């Protein structure tokens, strides 16, 4: 089936060259004709020239169906490009032939009748006409295709997922509650009569809301795969075009095609591109986008009950969507796909680690605890980066060394090992990072220190990896927020106390600390101003956050907000000074270790805190292997527990 189109394509590709070659031949022939001199002789003049024996070359060509002969040749004194022609009636030909024989013309020839040569006749008379018809045909066909494509401009760009791209819930790790929420959609698509009998109306639209990379698109594919129904997918930006009305036409065509394949699923990714609130912005609404949204609203609430079409949309900006889009009857159910917790991260890591060769020292449960805040896409990228590093280092398996490096690369970027750093700068960074670490080690509500390095990455000259001691959903206490501010200020305090100077390295720490302190005052009500919200966390989504930042207070209150923010920062700064002053020896020990090893891990930090000395990584790994229970020990423990149960 695919052979004919390929032949047509090849012919279309060759045709322009054939036409070009034909034109070149005609041009060359015309140029040759223009360079020749032709003298027209009458029959009497030709006879006189023959009698005077001036003819040196002559050719006689008869014409069929006519008693006329064409004669051409050369006379004495002609140049190479000069010749004569003459038309002779049949009655005079005998006299001319007799004179030719009598004078014994050196070059005498008689051509065949061209009318008898059918091939020559076709080439001369028919072929140009055929070529002209072929060229005109392809020109008209191209014009027709152009018109056809312009007619298809309003066709939907929704694509039907193929069989090879089917997903199931087994491919979606975690998201237990989200799967339960959409189970009834699958049940409805499989058995709609059960719902019709009970009089239940299945949601026509489900909106998946969550941060980027949490698996919204994958969940939608899994729903279609579990239900085993056609799955149409399209991006919200595919509706929007320059010309007004095209987007609305594509929406109509998409629903028309979906009704032919019902029951089915339509998945619209990034629906905020077309579903933003109407009548907003400085210059009014965008006509094309608003018409598209109006058509989408009509189609969603326009088709009949239980027709078997369910729309799933995804966005990470639900705050910008039009309220009419979220009302019951359209997107009447929202499913929040949030960032995974530790257990879900472990399940996601197991899914992405199936095709990777991991070393025995790689524990995915430990890795899940070290990656709070990572989305599913981040975890997939982390393992992929680790695999790339293992290949680059010519290793046969992925070890924890590659995992650690990949984690740092995902968070901050590749290490800049070739950058030249002075001893003074190195000492400053080590003192700075040691200050952060000591606050984390000695302050009760601070986060746990897992790693310290002074190797530059990205825009950071070094960093201290601090993770929560216990993973929480989204609630932080006032003491925990104050501990975060104190930890951020620890680097600046350490510089000031032990180097008697301050640097620009603390600029990002100060920025983050100030943001937390101001939020405590204006949003969380954690200051002397009381439980009053002065600023909203939401940003202006149409004019920009700098234009529409909410300000629900007077100038007098603004001064008080600044004073309270400064008070929180100063109190945390004083607390950081006290803690670091009491642990001066620990600061220098951590700094010396960083100067020597550049990177120290949690186990090495604990060794410095407990013994005052740092243990090499190899020794720590050896101790871990010795303390790690073997399979035999595990079996022994298990049998002992079972015996104890039997005795009881």
């Amino acid at each position: 089936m695919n052979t004919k189109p390929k032949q047509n394509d090849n012919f279309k590709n060759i045709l322009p060259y054939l036409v070009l070659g034909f034109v070149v031949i005609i041009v060359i022939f015309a140029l040759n004709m223009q360079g020749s001199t032709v003298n027209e002789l009458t029959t009497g003049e030709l006879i006189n020239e023959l009698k005077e024996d001036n003819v040196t070359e002559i050719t006689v060509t008869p014409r069929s169906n006519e008693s006329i002969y064409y004669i051409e040749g050369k006379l004495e004194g002609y140049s190479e490009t000069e010749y004569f022609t003459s038309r002779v009636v049949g009655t005079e030909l005998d006299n001319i032939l007799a004179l030719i024989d009598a004078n014994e013309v050196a070059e005498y020839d008689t051509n065949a009748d061209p009318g008898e040569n059918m091939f020559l006749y076709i080439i001369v008379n028919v072929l140009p006409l055929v070529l002209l018809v072929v060229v005109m045909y392809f020109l008209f066909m191209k014009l027709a295709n152009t018109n056809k494509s312009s007619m298809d401009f309003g066709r939907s760009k929704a694509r039907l997922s193929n069989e090879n791209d089917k997903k199931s819930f087994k491919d979606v790790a975690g998201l237990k509650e989200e799967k339960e929420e959409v189970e009834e959609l699958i049940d409805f698509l499989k058995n709609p009569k059960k719902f019709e009998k009970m009089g239940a109306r299945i949601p026509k639209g489900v909106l998946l809301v969550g941060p980027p990379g949490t698996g919204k698109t994958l969940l939608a594919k899994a729903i279609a795969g579990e239900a085993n129904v056609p799955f149409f997918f399209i991006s919200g930006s595919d509706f929007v075009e320059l010309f007004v009305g095209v987007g609305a036409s594509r929406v109509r065509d998409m629903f028309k095609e979906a009704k032919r394949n019902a029951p089915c699923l339509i998945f619209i990714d990034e629906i905020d591109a077309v579903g933003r609130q109407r009548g907003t912005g400085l210059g009014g609404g965008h006509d094309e986008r608003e018409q598209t949204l109006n058509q989408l609203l009509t189609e969603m609430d326009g088709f009949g009950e239980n027709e078997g079409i369910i729309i799933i949309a995804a966005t990470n900006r639900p705050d910008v969507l039009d309220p009419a889009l979220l009302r019951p009857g359209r997107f009447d159910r929202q499913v929040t796909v949030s960032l995974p917790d530790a257990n879900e991260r472990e399940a996601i890591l197991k899914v992405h680690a199936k095709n990777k060769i991991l070393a025995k020292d790689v524990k995915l449960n430990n890795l899940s605890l070290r990656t709070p805040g990572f989305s599913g896409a981040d975890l997939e990228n982390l393992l992929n980066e680790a695999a790339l590093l293992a290949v680059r280092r010519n290793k046969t398996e992925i070890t924890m060394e590659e995992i650690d490096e990949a984690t740092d690369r995902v968070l901050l970027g590749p290490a800049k090992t070739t950058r030249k750093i002075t001893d003074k700068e190195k000492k400053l960074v080590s003192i700075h990072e040691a200050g952060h670490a000591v606050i984390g080690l000695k302050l009760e509500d601070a986060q746990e220190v897992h790693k310290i390095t002074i190797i530059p990455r990205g825009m950071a000259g070094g960093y201290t990896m601090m993770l929560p001691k216990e993973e929480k959903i989204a609630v932080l206490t006032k003491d925990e927020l104050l501990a975060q501010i104190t930890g951020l200020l620890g680097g600046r305090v350490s510089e000031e106390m032990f180097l008697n100077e301050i640097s620009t390295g603390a600029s990002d720490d100060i920025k983050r600390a100030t943001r937390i302190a101001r939020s405590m005052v204006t949003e969380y009500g954690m200051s002397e101003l009381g439980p009053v919200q002065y600023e909203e966390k939401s940003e202006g989504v149409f004019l920009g956050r700098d234009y529409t930042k909410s300000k629900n207070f007077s100038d007098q209150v603004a001064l008080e907000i600044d004073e309270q923010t400064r008070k929180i920062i100063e109190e945390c700064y004083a607390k950081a000074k006290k803690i670091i002053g009491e642990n001066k020896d620990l600061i220098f020990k951590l700094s010396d270790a960083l100067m020597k090893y550049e990177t120290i891990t949690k186990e090495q930090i604990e060794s410095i805190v407990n013994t005052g000395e740092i243990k090499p990584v190899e020794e720590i790994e050896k101790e871990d292997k010795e303390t790690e229970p073997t399979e035999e020990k595990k079996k022994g423990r298990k049998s002992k527990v079972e015996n104890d149960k039997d005795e009881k």
Side-chain angles (χ1 to χ4, degrees):
M1 293 178 66
N2 296 329
T3 307
K4 290 184 179 180
K6 288 183 179 179
Q7 290 178 349
N8 292 334
D9 291 340
N10 293 334
F11 181 71
K12 289 179 181 179
N13 294 332
I14 296 173
L15 180 63
Y17 297 101
L18 294 176
V19 175
L20 180 62
F22 181 72
V23 172
V24 170
I25 292 173
I26 293 177
V27 170
I28 293 174
F29 180 76
L31 291 175
N32 290 335
M33 292 294 293
Q34 289 179 357
S36 302
T37 303
V38 181
N39 298 320
E40 187 73 27
L41 300 180
T42 62
T43 305
E45 292 174 342
L46 177 59
I47 292 174
N48 291 333
E49 295 291 345
L50 286 169
K51 288 180 179 180
E52 294 178 3
D53 199 13
N54 290 333
V55 179
T56 60
E57 180 181 333
I58 194 168
T59 301
V60 179
T61 304
R63 286 294 301 268
S64 60
N65 301 327
E66 297 181 14
S67 57
I68 298 175
Y69 293 82
Y70 287 91
I71 299 175
E72 65 178 28
K74 289 189 175 184
L75 301 178
E76 289 186 359
Y78 275 16
S79 63
E80 293 182 358
T81 59
E82 186 178 5
Y83 62 94
F84 69 85
T85 60
S86 180
R87 299 178 65 185
V88 178
V89 183
T91 55
E92 300 290 339
L93 182 62
D94 294 335
N95 296 332
I96 293 174
L97 293 177
L99 290 171
I100 292 172
D101 293 335
N103 294 333
E104 296 181 356
V105 178
E107 295 185 17
Y108 167 57
D109 192 12
T110 303
N111 290 334
D113 186 355
E116 297 176 358
N117 192 335
M118 187 59 65
F119 180 73
L120 183 62
Y121 178 80
I122 292 174
I123 290 178
V124 174
N125 297 283
V126 179
L127 185 60
L129 181 62
V130 171
L131 288 175
L132 180 61
V133 171
V134 170
V135 171
M136 294 299 295
Y137 170 77
F138 280 105
L139 288 176
F140 280 113
M141 285 296 294
K142 187 174 181 180
L143 183 61
N145 291 333
T146 303
N147 292 334
K148 185 178 179 181
S149 61
S150 63
M151 295 297 292
D152 291 343
F153 198 62
R155 295 289 300 275
S156 170
K157 290 187 176 182
R159 298 177 295 279
L160 184 63
S161 178
N162 53 36
E163 294 290 331
N164 298 328
D165 199 31
K166 276 193 174 181
K167 301 290 183 183
S168 65
F169 281 165
K170 294 180 181 179
D171 301 312
V172 184
L175 303 181
K176 183 179 178 181
E177 293 79 8
E178 290 80 356
K179 291 177 185 176
E180 293 175 354
E181 190 72 14
V182 297
E183 279 284 354
E184 61 187 22
L185 300 181
I186 299 169
D187 196 14
F188 168 75
L189 291 170
K190 288 182 176 179
N191 189 12
K193 292 184 179 179
K194 180 172 67 173
F195 291 84
E196 294 175 6
K197 184 178 179 180
M198 191 60 65
R201 180 183 64 82
I202 204 71
K204 293 182 180 179
V206 177
L207 185 65
L208 302 179
V209 179
T214 50
K216 299 184 290 295
T217 303
L218 185 62
L219 181 61
K221 288 183 178 181
I223 295 171
E226 290 287 337
N228 196 24
V229 295
F231 178 70
F232 293 91
F233 59 96
I234 188 173
S235 172
S237 60
D238 288 334
F239 293 112
V240 182
E241 288 288 349
L242 174 65
F243 305 104
V244 176
V246 173
S249 175
R250 288 178 178 175
V251 171
R252 288 191 294 268
D253 186 69
M254 180 181 68
F255 279 90
K256 183 179 178 182
E257 186 68 22
K259 289 176 184 178
R260 294 197 193 105
N261 293 274
C264 67
L265 278 173
I266 298 176
F267 177 62
I268 306 175
D269 198 10
E270 305 296 344
I271 194 173
D272 51 278
V274 69
R276 285 175 174 256
Q277 294 181 24
R278 293 165 290 183
T280 54
L282 286 172
H286 187 291
D287 288 339
E288 164 61 6
R289 184 181 54 76
E290 289 194 3
Q291 285 197 21
T292 306
L293 175 59
N294 292 336
Q295 186 63 44
L296 181 62
L297 296 174
T298 303
E299 291 290 344
M300 289 189 68
D301 203 25
F303 47 77
E305 295 291 333
N306 295 323
E307 286 195 3
I309 301 174
I310 295 178
I311 303 170
I312 301 176
T315 180
N316 51 19
R317 297 300 307 273
D319 53 317
V320 305
L321 296 180
D322 194 279
L325 199 62
L326 303 177
R327 75 159 176 82
R330 288 174 181 145
F331 285 111
D332 41 13
R333 178 175 295 183
Q334 290 190 26
V335 178
T336 302
V337 186
S338 55
L339 292 171
D341 59 14
N343 295 329
E344 290 176 329
R345 289 196 298 272
E346 183 179 355
I348 293 170
L349 287 169
K350 288 179 179 178
V351 170
H352 294 304
K354 285 181 180 179
N355 61 340
K356 294 177 176 61
I357 304 173
L358 300 179
K360 293 181 179 180
D361 64 334
V362 177
K363 302 293 187 293
L364 295 181
N365 58 340
N366 293 336
L367 182 59
S368 67
L369 296 174
R370 294 171 53 186
T371 52
F374 275 51
S375 65
D378 292 331
L379 295 172
E380 191 274 335
N381 187 36
L382 188 151
L383 290 181
N384 184 62
E385 286 288 342
L388 293 174
L389 286 170
V391 173
R392 191 182 304 171
R393 295 172 180 178
N394 296 322
K395 291 188 176 181
T396 57
E397 56 186 8
I398 303 171
T399 65
M400 278 305 299
E401 186 180 352
E402 283 75 43
I403 296 288
D404 289 336
E405 176 65 20
T407 305
D408 295 339
R409 291 171 71 94
V410 171
L411 289 173
L412 296 171
K416 300 178 180 179
T417 54
T418 58
R419 177 180 292 180
K420 185 177 180 181
I421 305 174
T422 63
D423 292 337
K424 181 180 179 181
E425 184 180 3
K426 198 172 182 181
K427 183 67 176 177
L428 187 147
V429 175
S430 65
I431 290 291
H432 180 100
E433 299 303 333
H436 288 306
V438 166
I439 299 296
L441 292 168
K442 299 300 180 179
L443 190 59
E444 182 180 355
D445 294 312
Q447 295 181 334
E448 191 175 19
V449 181
H450 278 253
K451 184 179 182 180
I452 313 173
T453 180
I454 58 173
I455 299 174
R457 287 181 181 272
M459 300 298 293
Y463 75 96
T464 301
M465 180 185 289
M466 301 177 70
L467 302 176
K469 296 175 182 177
E470 294 180 358
E471 190 168 352
K472 297 185 177 182
I473 300 175
V475 179
L476 292 173
T477 65
K478 181 179 179 180
D479 290 338
E480 289 172 339
L481 291 173
L482 292 173
Q484 285 188 19
I485 297 173
T486 306
L488 290 168
L489 297 174
R492 167 57 67 87
V493 171
S494 184
E495 291 179 16
E496 185 179 358
M497 290 183 66
F498 303 117
L499 299 177
N500 296 321
E501 62 179 350
I502 56 178
S503 69
T504 59
S507 60
D508 187 62
D509 299 331
I510 295 172
K511 177 181 177 182
R512 292 162 59 191
T514 305
R515 186 186 300 122
I516 296 173
R518 187 171 183 86
S519 297
M520 290 176 65
V521 176
T522 60
E523 296 178 27
Y524 309 142
M526 296 179 178
S527 70
E528 295 178 2
L529 295 181
V532 180
Q533 187 181 50
Y534 295 101
E535 293 178 351
E536 294 183 8
K537 192 174 182 180
S538 60
E539 302 169 357
V541 295
F542 301 105
L543 301 180
R545 54 190 170 190
D546 295 331
Y547 289 95
T548 59
K549 190 173 182 180
S550 176
K551 182 182 177 181
N552 300 322
F553 49 82
S554 63
D555 293 339
Q556 178 63 33
V557 175
L559 178 61
E560 295 178 7
I561 289 174
D562 293 338
E563 290 175 350
Q564 290 297 316
T565 303
R566 187 181 297 107
K567 182 179 179 181
I568 292 174
I569 296 292
E570 289 175 350
E571 289 177 354
C572 292
Y573 198 84
K575 185 183 290 186
K577 268 189 173 183
K578 180 182 178 183
I579 295 173
I580 290 175
E582 293 173 352
N583 296 275
K584 179 179 178 181
D585 293 339
L586 183 57
I587 290 284
F588 285 110
K589 287 178 181 178
L590 290 173
S591 175
D592 293 339
L594 287 170
M595 292 288 289
K596 183 177 180 181
Y597 296 100
E598 292 188 338
T599 300
I600 53 177
T601 61
K602 177 184 176 182
E603 293 78 8
Q604 292 174 315
I605 295 169
E606 291 176 351
S607 174
I608 295 173
V609 174
N610 297 329
T611 65
E613 297 179 357
I614 186 170
K615 290 183 180 180
V617 179
E618 295 78 8
E619 186 176 341
I620 294 174
E621 292 178 352
K622 185 178 179 181
E623 291 177 357
D624 291 340
K625 289 181 180 179
E626 291 175 353
T627 56
E628 185 177 350
T630 60
E631 293 296 328
E632 295 180 358
K633 290 181 180 179
K634 289 179 182 178
K635 291 179 181 178
R637 289 178 185 174
K638 186 176 180 182
S639 60
K640 184 179 179 181
V641 171
E642 291 175 353
N643 292 333
D644 293 340
K645 287 182 180 178
D646 294 337
E647 290 176 1
K648 289 180 181 180

